[in-house]
mmCIF file of all heavy atoms in Angstrom:
data_model
loop_
_atom_site.group_PDB
_atom_site.id
_atom_site.type_symbol
_atom_site.label_atom_id
_atom_site.label_comp_id
_atom_site.label_asym_id
_atom_site.label_seq_id
_atom_site.Cartn_x
_atom_site.Cartn_y
_atom_site.Cartn_z
ATOM 1 N N ALA I 11 84.087 -116.805 293.889
ATOM 2 C CA ALA I 11 84.419 -115.449 294.331
ATOM 3 C C ALA I 11 85.492 -115.379 295.406
ATOM 4 O O ALA I 11 85.746 -114.307 295.944
ATOM 5 C CB ALA I 11 83.156 -114.757 294.835
ATOM 6 N N ALA I 12 86.128 -116.498 295.738
ATOM 7 C CA ALA I 12 87.132 -116.469 296.806
ATOM 8 C C ALA I 12 88.473 -115.924 296.337
ATOM 9 O O ALA I 12 89.333 -115.598 297.162
ATOM 10 C CB ALA I 12 87.323 -117.867 297.384
ATOM 11 N N SER I 13 88.669 -115.809 295.036
ATOM 12 C CA SER I 13 89.947 -115.326 294.521
ATOM 13 C C SER I 13 89.776 -114.883 293.074
ATOM 14 O O SER I 13 88.713 -115.045 292.470
ATOM 15 C CB SER I 13 91.015 -116.436 294.595
ATOM 16 O OG SER I 13 90.667 -117.510 293.737
ATOM 17 N N GLY I 14 90.828 -114.319 292.521
ATOM 18 C CA GLY I 14 90.900 -114.027 291.097
ATOM 19 C C GLY I 14 89.823 -113.095 290.582
ATOM 20 O O GLY I 14 89.421 -112.132 291.235
ATOM 21 N N LEU I 15 89.325 -113.398 289.386
ATOM 22 C CA LEU I 15 88.347 -112.534 288.734
ATOM 23 C C LEU I 15 87.043 -112.483 289.516
ATOM 24 O O LEU I 15 86.407 -111.427 289.601
ATOM 25 C CB LEU I 15 88.095 -113.012 287.301
ATOM 26 C CG LEU I 15 89.303 -113.047 286.369
ATOM 27 C CD1 LEU I 15 88.885 -113.442 284.962
ATOM 28 C CD2 LEU I 15 90.026 -111.705 286.346
ATOM 29 N N GLY I 16 86.621 -113.604 290.086
ATOM 30 C CA GLY I 16 85.386 -113.618 290.852
ATOM 31 C C GLY I 16 85.448 -112.680 292.039
ATOM 32 O O GLY I 16 84.473 -111.972 292.345
ATOM 33 N N LEU I 17 86.579 -112.656 292.715
ATOM 34 C CA LEU I 17 86.753 -111.738 293.833
ATOM 35 C C LEU I 17 86.725 -110.290 293.337
ATOM 36 O O LEU I 17 86.126 -109.417 293.976
ATOM 37 C CB LEU I 17 88.072 -112.030 294.546
ATOM 38 C CG LEU I 17 88.421 -111.145 295.740
ATOM 39 C CD1 LEU I 17 87.334 -111.174 296.802
ATOM 40 C CD2 LEU I 17 89.767 -111.575 296.336
ATOM 41 N N ALA I 18 87.325 -110.031 292.194
ATOM 42 C CA ALA I 18 87.295 -108.684 291.620
ATOM 43 C C ALA I 18 85.868 -108.277 291.275
ATOM 44 O O ALA I 18 85.467 -107.125 291.498
ATOM 45 C CB ALA I 18 88.180 -108.623 290.376
ATOM 46 N N PHE I 19 85.088 -109.202 290.725
ATOM 47 C CA PHE I 19 83.685 -108.897 290.420
ATOM 48 C C PHE I 19 82.926 -108.550 291.696
ATOM 49 O O PHE I 19 82.159 -107.591 291.725
ATOM 50 C CB PHE I 19 83.017 -110.086 289.733
ATOM 51 C CG PHE I 19 83.599 -110.458 288.398
ATOM 52 C CD1 PHE I 19 83.508 -111.760 287.922
ATOM 53 C CD2 PHE I 19 84.235 -109.524 287.604
ATOM 54 C CE1 PHE I 19 84.034 -112.117 286.701
ATOM 55 C CE2 PHE I 19 84.775 -109.872 286.368
ATOM 56 C CZ PHE I 19 84.670 -111.171 285.909
ATOM 57 N N ALA I 20 83.126 -109.354 292.742
ATOM 58 C CA ALA I 20 82.417 -109.118 293.998
ATOM 59 C C ALA I 20 82.802 -107.764 294.592
ATOM 60 O O ALA I 20 81.935 -107.003 295.055
ATOM 61 C CB ALA I 20 82.730 -110.243 294.981
ATOM 62 N N GLU I 21 84.076 -107.450 294.599
ATOM 63 C CA GLU I 21 84.526 -106.155 295.119
ATOM 64 C C GLU I 21 83.895 -105.002 294.355
ATOM 65 O O GLU I 21 83.474 -103.991 294.937
ATOM 66 C CB GLU I 21 86.050 -106.067 295.039
ATOM 67 C CG GLU I 21 86.779 -106.974 296.020
ATOM 68 C CD GLU I 21 88.277 -106.970 295.814
ATOM 69 O OE1 GLU I 21 88.735 -106.602 294.713
ATOM 70 O OE2 GLU I 21 88.997 -107.344 296.763
ATOM 71 N N THR I 22 83.809 -105.171 293.032
ATOM 72 C CA THR I 22 83.218 -104.123 292.192
ATOM 73 C C THR I 22 81.750 -103.928 292.514
ATOM 74 O O THR I 22 81.258 -102.793 292.627
ATOM 75 C CB THR I 22 83.390 -104.482 290.707
ATOM 76 O OG1 THR I 22 84.774 -104.690 290.428
ATOM 77 C CG2 THR I 22 82.857 -103.387 289.807
ATOM 78 N N MET I 23 81.015 -105.034 292.651
ATOM 79 C CA MET I 23 79.580 -104.940 292.945
ATOM 80 C C MET I 23 79.347 -104.269 294.295
ATOM 81 O O MET I 23 78.467 -103.422 294.449
ATOM 82 C CB MET I 23 78.962 -106.341 292.946
ATOM 83 C CG MET I 23 79.049 -107.090 291.612
ATOM 84 S SD MET I 23 78.271 -106.230 290.228
ATOM 85 C CE MET I 23 79.703 -105.556 289.373
ATOM 86 N N LEU I 24 80.142 -104.641 295.285
ATOM 87 C CA LEU I 24 79.993 -104.064 296.617
ATOM 88 C C LEU I 24 80.316 -102.571 296.604
ATOM 89 O O LEU I 24 79.600 -101.760 297.209
ATOM 90 C CB LEU I 24 80.905 -104.794 297.604
ATOM 91 C CG LEU I 24 80.474 -106.215 297.966
ATOM 92 C CD1 LEU I 24 81.625 -106.990 298.589
ATOM 93 C CD2 LEU I 24 79.264 -106.191 298.910
ATOM 94 N N GLU I 25 81.363 -102.195 295.915
ATOM 95 C CA GLU I 25 81.742 -100.784 295.866
ATOM 96 C C GLU I 25 80.678 -99.950 295.164
ATOM 97 O O GLU I 25 80.481 -98.770 295.489
ATOM 98 C CB GLU I 25 83.094 -100.625 295.162
ATOM 99 C CG GLU I 25 83.642 -99.216 295.241
ATOM 100 C CD GLU I 25 85.078 -99.115 294.754
ATOM 101 O OE1 GLU I 25 85.720 -100.162 294.563
ATOM 102 O OE2 GLU I 25 85.550 -97.973 294.569
ATOM 103 N N ALA I 26 79.966 -100.566 294.214
ATOM 104 C CA ALA I 26 78.894 -99.864 293.500
ATOM 105 C C ALA I 26 77.579 -99.872 294.265
ATOM 106 O O ALA I 26 76.587 -99.319 293.793
ATOM 107 C CB ALA I 26 78.699 -100.486 292.116
ATOM 108 N N GLY I 27 77.545 -100.514 295.448
ATOM 109 C CA GLY I 27 76.374 -100.435 296.312
ATOM 110 C C GLY I 27 75.486 -101.647 296.366
ATOM 111 O O GLY I 27 74.437 -101.622 297.023
ATOM 112 N N ALA I 28 75.863 -102.746 295.693
ATOM 113 C CA ALA I 28 75.000 -103.924 295.632
ATOM 114 C C ALA I 28 75.205 -104.862 296.813
ATOM 115 O O ALA I 28 76.343 -105.051 297.274
ATOM 116 C CB ALA I 28 75.249 -104.700 294.338
ATOM 117 N N ARG I 29 74.130 -105.450 297.291
ATOM 118 C CA ARG I 29 74.240 -106.576 298.212
ATOM 119 C C ARG I 29 74.780 -107.752 297.404
ATOM 120 O O ARG I 29 74.204 -108.125 296.380
ATOM 121 C CB ARG I 29 72.874 -106.920 298.802
ATOM 122 C CG ARG I 29 72.923 -108.092 299.794
ATOM 123 C CD ARG I 29 71.541 -108.385 300.349
ATOM 124 N NE ARG I 29 71.015 -107.268 301.101
ATOM 125 C CZ ARG I 29 71.320 -107.009 302.375
ATOM 126 N NH1 ARG I 29 72.155 -107.801 303.027
ATOM 127 N NH2 ARG I 29 70.806 -105.968 302.982
ATOM 128 N N THR I 30 75.878 -108.325 297.837
ATOM 129 C CA THR I 30 76.586 -109.301 297.009
ATOM 130 C C THR I 30 76.813 -110.602 297.768
ATOM 131 O O THR I 30 77.459 -110.616 298.824
ATOM 132 C CB THR I 30 77.937 -108.729 296.547
ATOM 133 O OG1 THR I 30 77.711 -107.487 295.855
ATOM 134 C CG2 THR I 30 78.650 -109.692 295.620
ATOM 135 N N LEU I 31 76.278 -111.693 297.214
ATOM 136 C CA LEU I 31 76.498 -113.032 297.758
ATOM 137 C C LEU I 31 77.651 -113.672 297.002
ATOM 138 O O LEU I 31 77.569 -113.904 295.798
ATOM 139 C CB LEU I 31 75.239 -113.881 297.633
ATOM 140 C CG LEU I 31 75.362 -115.344 298.074
ATOM 141 C CD1 LEU I 31 75.815 -115.453 299.530
ATOM 142 C CD2 LEU I 31 74.046 -116.088 297.852
ATOM 143 N N MET I 32 78.724 -113.950 297.717
ATOM 144 C CA MET I 32 79.919 -114.567 297.144
ATOM 145 C C MET I 32 79.898 -116.060 297.437
ATOM 146 O O MET I 32 79.665 -116.469 298.571
ATOM 147 C CB MET I 32 81.170 -113.942 297.768
ATOM 148 C CG MET I 32 81.251 -112.444 297.603
ATOM 149 S SD MET I 32 82.462 -111.655 298.721
ATOM 150 C CE MET I 32 83.986 -112.460 298.213
ATOM 151 N N THR I 33 80.145 -116.891 296.426
ATOM 152 C CA THR I 33 80.195 -118.332 296.636
ATOM 153 C C THR I 33 81.498 -118.910 296.108
ATOM 154 O O THR I 33 82.125 -118.345 295.204
ATOM 155 C CB THR I 33 79.025 -119.067 295.949
ATOM 156 O OG1 THR I 33 79.255 -119.130 294.529
ATOM 157 C CG2 THR I 33 77.696 -118.369 296.230
ATOM 158 N N ASP I 34 81.882 -120.043 296.664
ATOM 159 C CA ASP I 34 83.081 -120.742 296.222
ATOM 160 C C ASP I 34 83.088 -122.128 296.864
ATOM 161 O O ASP I 34 82.431 -122.339 297.886
ATOM 162 C CB ASP I 34 84.340 -119.974 296.618
ATOM 163 C CG ASP I 34 85.536 -120.286 295.742
ATOM 164 O OD1 ASP I 34 86.166 -121.341 295.950
ATOM 165 O OD2 ASP I 34 85.830 -119.489 294.831
ATOM 166 N N MET I 35 83.847 -123.053 296.287
ATOM 167 C CA MET I 35 84.020 -124.373 296.897
ATOM 168 C C MET I 35 85.007 -124.339 298.054
ATOM 169 O O MET I 35 84.952 -125.175 298.950
ATOM 170 C CB MET I 35 84.497 -125.386 295.851
ATOM 171 C CG MET I 35 83.433 -125.833 294.879
ATOM 172 S SD MET I 35 84.050 -127.153 293.792
ATOM 173 C CE MET I 35 84.290 -128.475 294.979
ATOM 174 N N ASP I 36 85.930 -123.393 298.035
ATOM 175 C CA ASP I 36 86.953 -123.278 299.067
ATOM 176 C C ASP I 36 86.384 -122.462 300.225
ATOM 177 O O ASP I 36 86.464 -121.223 300.236
ATOM 178 C CB ASP I 36 88.199 -122.614 298.493
ATOM 179 C CG ASP I 36 89.380 -122.618 299.448
ATOM 180 O OD1 ASP I 36 89.162 -122.714 300.676
ATOM 181 O OD2 ASP I 36 90.528 -122.494 298.962
ATOM 182 N N ALA I 37 85.801 -123.147 301.200
ATOM 183 C CA ALA I 37 85.103 -122.473 302.288
ATOM 184 C C ALA I 37 86.031 -121.573 303.097
ATOM 185 O O ALA I 37 85.651 -120.463 303.491
ATOM 186 C CB ALA I 37 84.442 -123.504 303.195
ATOM 187 N N GLN I 38 87.256 -122.033 303.360
ATOM 188 C CA GLN I 38 88.179 -121.264 304.178
ATOM 189 C C GLN I 38 88.597 -119.968 303.492
ATOM 190 O O GLN I 38 88.587 -118.888 304.097
ATOM 191 C CB GLN I 38 89.403 -122.110 304.522
ATOM 192 C CG GLN I 38 90.375 -121.423 305.471
ATOM 193 C CD GLN I 38 91.517 -122.343 305.885
ATOM 194 O OE1 GLN I 38 91.595 -123.501 305.485
ATOM 195 N NE2 GLN I 38 92.417 -121.830 306.703
ATOM 196 N N ALA I 39 88.980 -120.064 302.226
ATOM 197 C CA ALA I 39 89.386 -118.876 301.480
ATOM 198 C C ALA I 39 88.215 -117.917 301.311
ATOM 199 O O ALA I 39 88.371 -116.691 301.410
ATOM 200 C CB ALA I 39 89.950 -119.274 300.116
ATOM 201 N N LEU I 40 87.039 -118.471 301.064
ATOM 202 C CA LEU I 40 85.854 -117.633 300.896
ATOM 203 C C LEU I 40 85.548 -116.868 302.176
ATOM 204 O O LEU I 40 85.304 -115.655 302.141
ATOM 205 C CB LEU I 40 84.659 -118.499 300.502
ATOM 206 C CG LEU I 40 83.334 -117.755 300.354
ATOM 207 C CD1 LEU I 40 83.389 -116.780 299.191
ATOM 208 C CD2 LEU I 40 82.182 -118.741 300.171
ATOM 209 N N ASP I 41 85.547 -117.561 303.306
ATOM 210 C CA ASP I 41 85.238 -116.905 304.571
ATOM 211 C C ASP I 41 86.220 -115.774 304.861
ATOM 212 O O ASP I 41 85.828 -114.697 305.336
ATOM 213 C CB ASP I 41 85.254 -117.923 305.709
ATOM 214 C CG ASP I 41 84.865 -117.305 307.041
ATOM 215 O OD1 ASP I 41 83.705 -116.864 307.166
ATOM 216 O OD2 ASP I 41 85.712 -117.261 307.939
ATOM 217 N N ALA I 42 87.489 -116.000 304.553
ATOM 218 C CA ALA I 42 88.499 -114.976 304.793
ATOM 219 C C ALA I 42 88.211 -113.723 303.958
ATOM 220 O O ALA I 42 88.319 -112.586 304.456
ATOM 221 C CB ALA I 42 89.885 -115.508 304.483
ATOM 222 N N GLN I 43 87.825 -113.914 302.708
ATOM 223 C CA GLN I 43 87.559 -112.771 301.844
ATOM 224 C C GLN I 43 86.269 -112.061 302.229
ATOM 225 O O GLN I 43 86.196 -110.820 302.200
ATOM 226 C CB GLN I 43 87.514 -113.211 300.377
ATOM 227 C CG GLN I 43 88.825 -113.699 299.815
ATOM 228 C CD GLN I 43 89.891 -112.619 299.790
ATOM 229 O OE1 GLN I 43 89.626 -111.432 299.957
ATOM 230 N NE2 GLN I 43 91.141 -113.033 299.572
ATOM 231 N N VAL I 44 85.251 -112.823 302.585
ATOM 232 C CA VAL I 44 83.987 -112.204 302.989
ATOM 233 C C VAL I 44 84.192 -111.361 304.246
ATOM 234 O O VAL I 44 83.711 -110.219 304.336
ATOM 235 C CB VAL I 44 82.901 -113.270 303.219
ATOM 236 C CG1 VAL I 44 81.657 -112.651 303.854
ATOM 237 C CG2 VAL I 44 82.531 -113.953 301.901
ATOM 238 N N GLN I 45 84.917 -111.904 305.216
ATOM 239 C CA GLN I 45 85.162 -111.146 306.442
ATOM 240 C C GLN I 45 85.991 -109.899 306.167
ATOM 241 O O GLN I 45 85.754 -108.833 306.763
ATOM 242 C CB GLN I 45 85.848 -112.042 307.484
ATOM 243 C CG GLN I 45 85.005 -113.198 307.958
ATOM 244 C CD GLN I 45 83.617 -112.772 308.406
ATOM 245 O OE1 GLN I 45 83.463 -111.797 309.156
ATOM 246 N NE2 GLN I 45 82.595 -113.486 307.948
ATOM 247 N N ARG I 46 86.976 -110.010 305.272
ATOM 248 C CA ARG I 46 87.789 -108.841 304.916
ATOM 249 C C ARG I 46 86.917 -107.755 304.290
ATOM 250 O O ARG I 46 87.017 -106.571 304.653
ATOM 251 C CB ARG I 46 88.893 -109.255 303.939
ATOM 252 C CG ARG I 46 89.752 -108.099 303.442
ATOM 253 C CD ARG I 46 90.779 -108.554 302.429
ATOM 254 N NE ARG I 46 90.196 -109.008 301.183
ATOM 255 C CZ ARG I 46 89.850 -108.187 300.182
ATOM 256 N NH1 ARG I 46 90.023 -106.871 300.292
ATOM 257 N NH2 ARG I 46 89.336 -108.673 299.067
ATOM 258 N N LEU I 47 86.035 -108.157 303.372
ATOM 259 C CA LEU I 47 85.209 -107.177 302.675
ATOM 260 C C LEU I 47 84.122 -106.594 303.572
ATOM 261 O O LEU I 47 83.750 -105.422 303.431
ATOM 262 C CB LEU I 47 84.591 -107.816 301.429
ATOM 263 C CG LEU I 47 85.587 -108.095 300.298
ATOM 264 C CD1 LEU I 47 84.952 -108.933 299.208
ATOM 265 C CD2 LEU I 47 86.120 -106.790 299.721
ATOM 266 N N LYS I 48 83.602 -107.404 304.483
ATOM 267 C CA LYS I 48 82.547 -106.932 305.377
ATOM 268 C C LYS I 48 83.008 -105.740 306.223
ATOM 269 O O LYS I 48 82.190 -104.904 306.636
ATOM 270 C CB LYS I 48 82.098 -108.063 306.297
ATOM 271 C CG LYS I 48 80.877 -108.829 305.809
ATOM 272 C CD LYS I 48 80.421 -109.806 306.859
ATOM 273 C CE LYS I 48 79.143 -110.508 306.437
ATOM 274 N NZ LYS I 48 78.001 -109.566 306.336
ATOM 275 N N SER I 49 84.294 -105.659 306.485
ATOM 276 C CA SER I 49 84.785 -104.538 307.290
ATOM 277 C C SER I 49 84.580 -103.205 306.572
ATOM 278 O O SER I 49 84.497 -102.151 307.200
ATOM 279 C CB SER I 49 86.269 -104.738 307.612
ATOM 280 O OG SER I 49 87.057 -104.704 306.429
ATOM 281 N N ARG I 50 84.498 -103.265 305.233
ATOM 282 C CA ARG I 50 84.250 -102.055 304.439
ATOM 283 C C ARG I 50 82.854 -102.023 303.849
ATOM 284 O O ARG I 50 82.269 -100.950 303.681
ATOM 285 C CB ARG I 50 85.274 -101.964 303.296
ATOM 286 C CG ARG I 50 86.708 -101.744 303.728
ATOM 287 C CD ARG I 50 87.616 -101.690 302.509
ATOM 288 N NE ARG I 50 87.254 -100.624 301.595
ATOM 289 C CZ ARG I 50 87.694 -100.553 300.335
ATOM 290 N NH1 ARG I 50 88.499 -101.488 299.854
ATOM 291 N NH2 ARG I 50 87.321 -99.552 299.563
ATOM 292 N N TYR I 51 82.344 -103.208 303.521
ATOM 293 C CA TYR I 51 81.053 -103.292 302.834
ATOM 294 C C TYR I 51 80.148 -104.259 303.595
ATOM 295 O O TYR I 51 80.210 -105.478 303.393
ATOM 296 C CB TYR I 51 81.247 -103.791 301.400
ATOM 297 C CG TYR I 51 82.256 -103.010 300.595
ATOM 298 C CD1 TYR I 51 83.484 -103.583 300.239
ATOM 299 C CD2 TYR I 51 82.000 -101.704 300.194
ATOM 300 C CE1 TYR I 51 84.408 -102.879 299.499
ATOM 301 C CE2 TYR I 51 82.920 -100.986 299.446
ATOM 302 C CZ TYR I 51 84.127 -101.581 299.106
ATOM 303 O OH TYR I 51 85.049 -100.880 298.370
ATOM 304 N N PRO I 52 79.273 -103.763 304.455
ATOM 305 C CA PRO I 52 78.422 -104.640 305.271
ATOM 306 C C PRO I 52 77.484 -105.532 304.448
ATOM 307 O O PRO I 52 76.947 -106.505 304.985
ATOM 308 C CB PRO I 52 77.616 -103.640 306.118
ATOM 309 C CG PRO I 52 78.429 -102.389 306.121
ATOM 310 C CD PRO I 52 79.120 -102.340 304.804
ATOM 311 N N LEU I 53 77.297 -105.222 303.167
ATOM 312 C CA LEU I 53 76.376 -105.996 302.338
ATOM 313 C C LEU I 53 77.032 -107.232 301.719
ATOM 314 O O LEU I 53 76.425 -107.912 300.903
ATOM 315 C CB LEU I 53 75.804 -105.112 301.227
ATOM 316 C CG LEU I 53 74.923 -103.945 301.708
ATOM 317 C CD1 LEU I 53 74.431 -103.128 300.520
ATOM 318 C CD2 LEU I 53 73.746 -104.448 302.522
ATOM 319 N N ALA I 54 78.273 -107.535 302.103
ATOM 320 C CA ALA I 54 78.937 -108.751 301.613
ATOM 321 C C ALA I 54 78.412 -109.968 302.361
ATOM 322 O O ALA I 54 78.282 -109.960 303.587
ATOM 323 C CB ALA I 54 80.442 -108.641 301.799
ATOM 324 N N GLU I 55 78.120 -111.037 301.616
ATOM 325 C CA GLU I 55 77.667 -112.295 302.183
ATOM 326 C C GLU I 55 78.456 -113.427 301.536
ATOM 327 O O GLU I 55 79.023 -113.259 300.458
ATOM 328 C CB GLU I 55 76.169 -112.506 301.921
ATOM 329 C CG GLU I 55 75.269 -111.407 302.443
ATOM 330 C CD GLU I 55 73.820 -111.604 302.028
ATOM 331 O OE1 GLU I 55 73.565 -112.413 301.113
ATOM 332 O OE2 GLU I 55 72.945 -110.947 302.615
ATOM 333 N N GLY I 56 78.478 -114.601 302.157
ATOM 334 C CA GLY I 56 79.206 -115.735 301.600
ATOM 335 C C GLY I 56 78.473 -117.039 301.807
ATOM 336 O O GLY I 56 77.742 -117.199 302.792
#
């Protein structure tokens, strides 16, 4: 979920109201995306 289609899926789930756990092997990229999304969607996790 740190990029590409996985990130799009996570954004969609969060916008629809779901608590969403995002995972990826790239810890740095994942953390950056989770923090970006948390500013709009507090239910984002990584």
Side-chain angles (χ1 to χ4, degrees):
S13 65
L15 300 184
L17 179 57
F19 297 153
E21 290 174 339
T22 304
M23 298 302 102
L24 288 163
E25 188 170 348
R29 181 180 297 278
T30 304
L31 176 58
M32 303 164 60
T33 75
D34 204 281
M35 286 186 66
D36 188 337
Q38 185 175 359
L40 177 66
D41 183 65
Q43 294 297 346
V44 171
Q45 295 309 313
R46 177 183 67 84
L47 289 170
K48 265 187 176 295
S49 65
R50 293 179 60 195
Y51 307 110
L53 295 179
E55 303 174 345

